[in-house]
Amino acid sequence: DRVTFLLRRGTSVVLLSIYVDDGIAATNDEKLYREFLTTLGKDFELSDQGKLNWYLGVSVTQDLANKLTTLSQERYVKDVLERLGMTGATPVSTPMEANTHLSASDSQPAHKLDRKFRREYQRIVG
């Protein structure tokens, strides 16, 4: 499925990216953007939430003066740690010994793992 759409008129651009029922748009022409929203709004329920601060679990901070956009999943990570009861865990830069060599023979195939263990792992990693 296509999720990103581009409207181009001369040097003006509106870029729209959609995921399920959430979408974000970017433009270099406010007038074209308003026209685009009006046209799209005739067929779809839309709401303009203004400046982008949060999208799909990602915090978005924009510094327009320095042309810098920062994305952060800090809140998402904190929520996962809380859900797993790991808020007191100590962060490490490398979660396992450096230069460790892994092979398929070091563990059981996934289909042989305990069903409860597999479900817990899937819940943790999403």
Side-chain angles (χ1 to χ4, degrees):
D1 292 339
R2 293 181 186 217
V3 296
T4 302
F5 304 91
L6 176 67
L7 171 63
R8 188 176 291 180
R9 285 201 188 141
T11 59
S12 298
V13 174
V14 175
L15 181 66
L16 173 67
S17 185
I18 299 174
Y19 181 78
V20 186
D21 62 351
D22 288 320
I24 57 174
T27 187
N28 64 347
D29 184 326
E30 191 65 28
K31 183 179 177 195
L32 180 61
Y33 174 68
R34 291 287 157 212
E35 181 182 316
F36 171 77
L37 284 184
T38 300
T39 302
L40 202 59
K42 292 177 183 176
D43 294 315
F44 300 97
E45 185 179 326
L46 302 175
S47 63
D48 185 346
Q49 302 292 319
K51 183 180 168 193
L52 181 64
N53 294 306
W54 190 260
Y55 186 66
L56 300 177
V58 177
S59 170
V60 181
T61 306
Q62 295 176 312
D63 178 351
L64 299 178
N66 292 309
K67 297 181 180 181
L68 179 69
T69 299
T70 304
L71 306 176
S72 172
Q73 289 187 294
E74 181 178 354
R75 191 162 110 192
Y76 170 77
V77 170
K78 286 181 179 180
D79 289 346
V80 169
L81 290 173
E82 280 182 25
R83 185 174 39 127
L84 299 175
M86 297 178 63
T87 55
T90 304
V92 293
S93 60
T94 306
M96 65 187 309
E97 188 176 320
N99 301 314
T100 299
H101 297 282
L102 302 175
S103 71
S105 63
D106 291 340
S107 64
Q108 294 180 347
H111 70 276
K112 290 188 177 183
L113 294 174
D114 175 75
R115 176 180 245 170
K116 184 178 176 184
F117 176 82
R118 282 189 311 201
R119 285 195 177 152
E120 181 66 11
Y121 174 80
Q122 289 169 342
R123 185 179 71 84
I124 291 169
V125 299

